[in-house]
Amino acid sequence: MTDQITGAQSLIRSLEAAGVDTIFGIPGGAILPAYDPLMDSRQIRHILVRHEQAGGHAAEGYALATGRVGVCMATSGPGATNLVTPIADAHMDSVPMVAITGQVPSAAIGTDAFQEADIRGITMPITKHNYLVTNADDIPRAVAEAFHIASTGRPGPVLVDVSKDALQAMTTFTWPESINLPGYKPTTRPHAKQVREAARLILDSKRPVLYVGGGVIKAGASPELRRLAELTGIPVVTTLMARGAFPDSHPQHLGMPGMHGSVAAVGALQKSDLLIALGTRFDDRVTGHLPSFAPEALIIHADIDPAEISKNRAADVPIVGDAREVIADLIAVLETEQAAGRVGDYESWIALMAGMKATYPLGYDIPADGSLSPQYVIERLGDISGPDSIYAAGVGQHQMWAAQFIKYERPGTWLNSGGLGTMGFAVPAAMGAKVGAPDRVVWAVDGDGCFQMTNQELATCTINEIPIKVALINNSSLGMVRQWQTLFYNERYSNTDLQSHSFPDFVKLADAYGCHGLRCDSADQVDVTIEKALSLNDAPVVIDFQVHKDAMVWPMVAAGTSNDEIKIARDLAPSWYTED
């Protein structure tokens, strides 16, 4: 006879069977029954965060750094609703995550009971799938399916909401031997005819571009991408979510496209006659004014999610499939064509793009008043800490500078909130990444606005011996909003001055949290300060880089305008259409 256990014990056994080794969470009334058997687990490490939102972002950071499913846990009501932001973030950026929440007893559901919220209904638009479990016997199946859904096809978040009475009821534990989801069958193998047609367009084109999105990293397709690029010689651009998918140092790499992309990357898309879009969704930050985006280009669009294909830009050759398999099949066809003597003629195009890259490199001005340049800080951080480090960014100017001025050579080294743009992402995501990759140096590149949303997790890091390093780009303001106010609102700085150079004292704050606090406000101290931070590994480190207040992110395409209107400074646009 199978031993009877509680639903709570079944939940923990299910998580163990799913391979979970870390949960980021906070206990509370409805989920409390699960925390008792969790204490006895020899497999699962629970990290008590200070805010549920941070627990969700930490699960994202863990997933992004490891490629495994991140797990967070919260109680009902406000505990669950505090997970909404990281769930939405994971949904937008295709991060595999399972959120476990407690729910009020099933008999009380719908009565506005204490700490009741319809978290299943709330999160329905922002999860791949979600469950409300009210029968203890259903817990193993729900958990097994949740991990399968989160990690297959296009990755994403899945919520498992379990009522308190289901956790307290007696049941038997049986882990399902197989997953049977008739309505869920992601297509991974591309259609051979579509791949052949894509190869034909590639060989016939004169100005092709490999437009690479985050799906290439999710698919683990970076080696295949490099092989394809080198086989064809086609220029490569990597989106914000794909930084590291193709080495920045590679001569074919033109940089990041989009609102704050490089002139060469934006220009390549605009002037191309063929976009080979791999694991990307034609996001508005990349396309700008959609009708004017890449006006002469045919589109090959490969994505594992059929809903993304032709959603924003109609595809001439749609390919549904895993990016790794799509690229591998495309390589095979092109190699066969090359063996038969058929190759693309891109010589003049490659020369044009190389010239554009050389003419319009990323750069920045050193402040005339002698204050510290934020771009210089981030550039030196990347150079000194190196390409093996992991960099997790918040959202705003510092995020764009980190994407621009740190050189990414391999996937999984750049973590950020791309689609949702969530301030406060960096510190907890870095924490989760460090837990998942304890032997790597992990930096949170944060702004003073973002940092003050989630810096309480420094306490979590100190207590749990998670020695992340924080590069705080402190410009004493909400920098990106201030930049827009400068450019579009006649320098009327409404509610963007944080006064962070004087309050709070971030070095004292770091000390209060048991961290090493350092301050740097001059260029001659940047290197030694970063090197000092790298030498301190017994506790988290926070560096308060007090930087110039009015530094701006360039290049820039203003929201809603055409990429043709890109500017490399406030009143300066590149004259790329005068080049032949």
Side-chain angles (χ1 to χ4, degrees):
M1 179 178 177
T2 305
D3 291 340
Q4 290 277 300
I5 60 173
T6 66
Q9 290 172 310
S10 180
L11 175 62
I12 302 307
R13 285 196 192 179
S14 297
L15 293 171
E16 290 174 337
V20 175
D21 59 20
T22 306
I23 295 174
F24 302 91
I26 300 181
I31 196 65
L32 193 57
Y35 270 82
D36 187 64
L38 178 60
M39 191 175 185
D40 298 323
S41 177
R42 295 183 179 180
Q43 175 178 317
I44 299 174
R45 176 189 186 187
H46 181 273
I47 294 176
L48 177 62
V49 295
R50 269 45 187 173
H51 194 287
E52 291 91 353
Q53 180 180 345
H57 292 319
E60 288 186 273
Y62 175 96
L64 291 167
T66 65
R68 303 176 62 199
V69 177
V71 183
C72 53
M73 185 179 288
T75 196
S76 63
T81 58
N82 281 342
L83 288 177
V84 169
T85 295
I87 289 172
D89 194 272
H91 185 256
M92 287 285 277
D93 287 349
S94 304
V95 180
M97 184 171 82
V98 170
I100 308 293
T101 53
Q103 184 54 273
V104 300
S106 55
I109 293 175
T111 68
D112 292 333
F114 177 67
Q115 288 192 332
E116 180 187 359
D118 179 12
I119 195 61
R120 188 182 185 208
I122 290 168
T123 61
M124 196 164 288
I126 55 171
T127 51
K128 282 189 73 175
H129 191 62
N130 59 26
Y131 296 84
L132 171 59
V133 181
T134 57
N135 186 330
D137 296 341
D138 295 335
I139 290 172
R141 177 188 58 81
V143 171
E145 291 178 1
F147 277 81
H148 175 71
I149 293 169
S151 60
T152 55
R154 179 180 182 173
V158 179
L159 175 88
V160 181
D161 192 35
V162 189
S163 66
K164 188 171 185 178
D165 56 316
L167 293 172
Q168 293 172 322
M170 302 305 294
T171 185
T172 57
F173 174 76
T174 304
W175 186 248
E177 296 180 359
S178 61
I179 303 293
N180 181 28
L181 295 170
Y184 179 71
K185 296 186 182 299
T187 299
T188 59
R189 291 287 304 142
H191 196 287
K193 180 182 177 183
Q194 298 301 92
V195 173
R196 289 194 300 271
E197 180 62 15
R200 184 188 68 80
L201 288 187
I202 290 170
L203 293 172
D204 288 346
S205 66
K206 299 298 182 185
R207 304 187 306 278
V209 178
L210 286 163
Y211 165 28
V212 177
V216 169
I217 292 179
K218 306 297 181 190
S222 293
E224 288 77 10
L225 172 65
R226 182 165 185 162
R227 188 174 164 200
L228 175 63
E230 293 178 346
L231 176 69
T232 60
I234 295 172
V236 179
V237 303
T238 54
T239 68
L240 179 68
M241 296 306 299
R243 302 293 287 116
F246 192 76
D248 279 355
S249 60
H250 199 286
Q252 288 173 240
H253 192 226
L254 300 180
M256 179 179 73
M259 176 177 279
H260 294 294
S262 70
V263 171
V266 173
L269 296 180
Q270 288 301 97
K271 295 172 75 70
S272 69
D273 65 0
L274 177 67
L275 298 187
I276 307 152
L278 303 170
T280 189
R281 57 189 179 88
F282 290 83
D283 174 71
D284 64 287
R285 301 290 96 166
V286 169
T287 66
H289 180 240
L290 189 59
S292 66
F293 174 69
E296 299 177 13
L298 296 174
I299 306 295
I300 299 167
H301 192 179
D303 201 286
I304 198 165
D305 185 354
E308 289 297 345
I309 294 177
S310 296
K311 184 178 78 175
N312 293 327
R313 174 69 178 264
D316 297 282
V317 179
I319 305 175
V320 178
D322 177 82
R324 188 174 186 178
E325 299 198 30
V326 171
I327 298 171
D329 286 5
L330 196 52
I331 289 169
V333 174
L334 290 170
E335 285 179 334
T336 300
E337 293 289 335
Q338 284 193 9
R342 189 153 187 259
V343 296
D345 178 14
Y346 319 129
E347 188 174 344
S348 62
W349 171 243
I350 292 170
L352 175 65
M353 288 300 100
M356 189 179 291
K357 182 179 177 181
T359 303
Y360 301 108
L362 287 171
Y364 53 90
D365 295 324
I366 301 298
D369 62 2
S371 58
L372 187 55
S373 162
Q375 299 99 319
Y376 177 75
V377 168
I378 291 172
E379 185 175 54
R380 294 305 299 151
L381 176 67
D383 288 344
I384 295 169
S385 195
D388 288 326
S389 298
I390 295 173
Y391 303 90
V395 169
Q397 288 181 315
H398 64 279
Q399 174 194 26
M400 294 298 105
W401 289 322
Q404 291 175 331
F405 292 105
I406 294 173
K407 303 305 180 188
Y408 301 97
E409 297 296 310
R410 51 190 60 89
T413 54
W414 165 246
L415 320 181
N416 85 123
S417 172
L420 198 64
T422 305
M423 292 179 68
F425 176 87
V427 169
M431 175 174 69
K434 184 65 174 177
V435 171
D439 296 331
R440 304 278 291 280
V441 174
V442 180
W443 285 93
V445 182
D446 221 355
D448 46 316
C450 285
F451 183 66
Q452 292 184 82
M453 292 189 174
T454 52
N455 64 32
Q456 75 280 345
E457 298 310 320
L458 291 174
T460 309
C461 291
T462 298
I463 292 167
N464 291 280
E465 300 181 339
I466 307 169
I468 67 167
K469 303 180 192 303
V470 181
L472 181 57
I473 309 302
N474 179 3
N475 61 4
S476 195
S477 65
L478 298 172
M480 188 62 85
V481 184
R482 181 182 173 87
Q483 175 167 332
W484 282 50
Q485 288 172 334
T486 299
L487 297 175
F488 309 120
Y489 292 90
N490 299 315
E491 301 182 9
R492 288 165 56 83
Y493 299 118
S494 174
N495 291 285
T496 48
D497 186 359
L498 294 172
Q499 303 181 52
S500 301
H501 281 181
S502 55
F503 181 82
D505 185 324
F506 290 120
V507 173
K508 289 182 178 178
L509 183 68
D511 182 65
Y513 277 128
C515 306
H516 299 287
L518 308 173
R519 181 173 288 115
C520 179
D521 58 9
S522 63
D524 63 339
Q525 290 298 307
V526 168
D527 286 16
V528 69
T529 306
I530 293 170
E531 288 163 356
K532 175 70 172 176
L534 288 170
S535 73
L536 298 170
N537 295 298
D538 60 330
V541 182
V542 177
I543 309 175
D544 179 12
F545 288 107
Q546 297 196 343
V547 301
H548 184 61
K549 192 169 190 172
D550 286 312
M552 292 199 189
V553 183
W554 301 107
M556 181 176 180
V557 178
T561 66
S562 170
N563 282 345
D564 295 338
E565 298 177 47
I566 188 172
K567 292 189 176 178
I568 55 178
R570 187 166 184 174
D571 298 311
L572 185 60
S575 54
W576 60 31
Y577 282 103
T578 65
E579 303 174 40
D580 295 319

